[in-house]
Amino acid sequence: MAKIIDGKAIATNLNGQLQSEVAALSFVPGLAVVLVGDDPASQVYVRGKIKACEKVGIKSFEHRLPANATQDDIAACIDALNADENVNGILLQLPLPQGLNAKPLIQRISPEKDVDGLTHVNMGRLMAGDEGLRPCTPSGCEILLKEEFDSLAGKIAVVIGRSELFGKPMAQILLQNDCTVFQCHSKTKNLASLCKQADIVIAAVGRPEMVKADWVKEGAFVIDVGINRTAAGKLVGDVDFNAVAAKADYITPVPGGVGPMTIAMLLQNTVLAAKRQNQAPKI
Ligand code: NAP
């Protein structure tokens, strides 16, 4: 039976350390969250992020725009936050209501305040192996792996999914940890047999319980990023949890695995951004 990775406990521990770090700062880090429209899931996520900020001593600024806000309205809000000295991090909650184009709005966020790590500048820094702000969910998964393994060098990793938010940066982070990485997607052939070779399987697809026990080799580390609701309203991941747990050595649950780590990394990125913005200029 696999060890069930307690992402909630690891995140709580990280948040506790961050709280002490924030208390010792001479300034208060600030995170602005921009929420457009009234998508119920987004409202829940935003509430969770704001609550987490309060706990560690980060000041949060919530900016709610109506569902009929225009591209220009959101751009103006981002411009104002870019210029606001009290705001060190800006998060545009996705998805935006239909008809709006998130891409140019994300690129409008100042790279130094881009705590989601989605601007081209930060994506480029990640590709180049340079310091920047890295996307929260893949960074959280990296920490979960490093909690168990001193080194990831030489491990075969399969990342299922190639989104800019998760799959692509996750593969890049694993590559930088000297893994051999298969980046899989909807056109990948023989996905099950690729997974079967992997020491690390990370599923980020959005398909309930897609990864089956016979896809996974004994002893694998399986990270489930997916968040899905079944017809009965139950929250499940992309991995057939009970069957895979009987075979793997490590597995993350849904909920309580990757999700809390995403929020913990958002807080870390906000404090990192605030520290960089408050650094005395080098002479
Ligand atoms: P996304 O943008 O929809 O990407 C899904 C990816 O899965 C795409 O690359 C797609 O391939 C691939 N895919 C779809 N069907 C497939 C199949 N049958 N076989 C193999 N690959 C397939 O989603 P995302 O934003 O990356 O998120 C993925 C999941 O993770 C969602 O459930 C989301 O809610 C969850 N998530 C959770 C957190 C968290 O904090 N826990 C954070 C982010 C995301 P193509 O590129 O070929 O279309």
Side-chain angles (χ1 to χ4, degrees):
M1 181 71 188
K3 172 174 176 180
I4 296 165
I5 303 295
D6 190 346
K8 202 170 166 195
I10 297 168
T12 302
N13 190 24
L14 285 171
N15 293 347
Q17 289 168 21
L18 194 68
Q19 186 180 11
S20 313
E21 209 181 299
V22 169
L25 294 173
S26 58
F27 49 87
V28 180
L31 174 70
V33 183
V34 180
L35 176 61
V36 186
D38 37 30
D39 176 57
S42 292
Q43 293 189 25
V44 172
Y45 290 140
V46 165
R47 264 203 302 279
K49 287 167 186 172
I50 287 173
K51 215 167 120 195
C53 280
E54 278 166 12
K55 266 197 180 164
V56 299
I58 294 172
K59 187 164 171 45
S60 57
F61 304 89
E62 194 179 342
H63 291 264
R64 281 180 180 250
L65 282 85
N68 63 358
T70 64
Q71 198 81 11
D72 285 348
D73 295 336
I74 307 167
C77 177
I78 291 172
D79 289 350
L81 296 172
N82 280 337
D84 186 339
E85 280 186 2
N86 296 312
V87 171
N88 305 112
I90 302 171
L91 186 151
L92 178 61
Q93 183 65 42
L94 301 175
L96 295 180
Q98 273 208 333
L100 291 166
N101 183 1
K103 277 199 170 190
L105 295 168
I106 289 168
Q107 297 312 319
R108 205 167 179 111
I109 296 172
S110 156
E112 311 320 316
K113 297 189 178 186
D114 166 31
V115 284
D116 260 341
L118 292 175
T119 57
H120 292 160
V121 171
N122 281 315
M123 285 166 101
R125 286 172 177 156
L126 172 61
M127 282 290 287
D130 289 344
E131 268 191 14
L133 292 167
R134 296 186 162 200
C136 302
T137 310
S139 298
C141 293
E142 181 186 27
I143 291 185
L144 294 181
L145 289 165
K146 288 186 165 174
E147 284 276 316
E148 300 297 336
F149 298 135
D150 291 337
S151 165
L152 304 180
K155 293 198 184 295
I156 296 177
V158 164
V159 179
I160 318 177
R162 57 174 166 180
S163 65
E164 284 174 17
L165 184 69
F166 182 79
K168 284 182 190 167
M170 186 72 250
Q172 195 58 41
I173 287 170
L174 291 167
L175 197 58
Q176 281 170 13
N177 281 284
D178 298 322
C179 291
T180 302
V181 185
F182 290 94
Q183 177 105 62
C184 300
H185 46 79
S186 65
K187 309 287 186 297
T188 298
K189 295 206 164 81
N190 304 321
L191 179 58
S193 69
L194 285 174
C195 287
K196 195 126 197 189
Q197 297 174 47
D199 304 300
I200 299 166
V201 176
I202 304 184
V205 178
R207 286 190 167 218
E209 302 178 329
M210 177 178 118
V211 176
K212 305 294 181 196
D214 61 1
W215 292 28
V216 172
K217 80 171 181 186
E218 289 202 10
F221 196 131
V222 181
I223 297 186
D224 192 349
V225 181
I227 303 173
N228 310 288
R229 281 237 178 245
T230 63
K234 192 182 165 213
L235 201 62
V236 297
D238 289 348
V239 175
D240 184 0
F241 182 83
N242 288 331
V244 174
K247 201 142 172 223
D249 269 5
Y250 306 92
I251 190 166
T252 64
V254 176
V258 173
M261 293 301 289
T262 299
I263 296 186
M265 292 300 105
L266 173 68
L267 305 179
Q268 298 272 340
N269 272 353
T270 303
V271 173
L272 182 63
K275 280 181 172 171
R276 288 185 183 149
Q277 287 160 42
N278 282 278
Q279 249 167 19
K282 291 194 181 84
I283 302 169

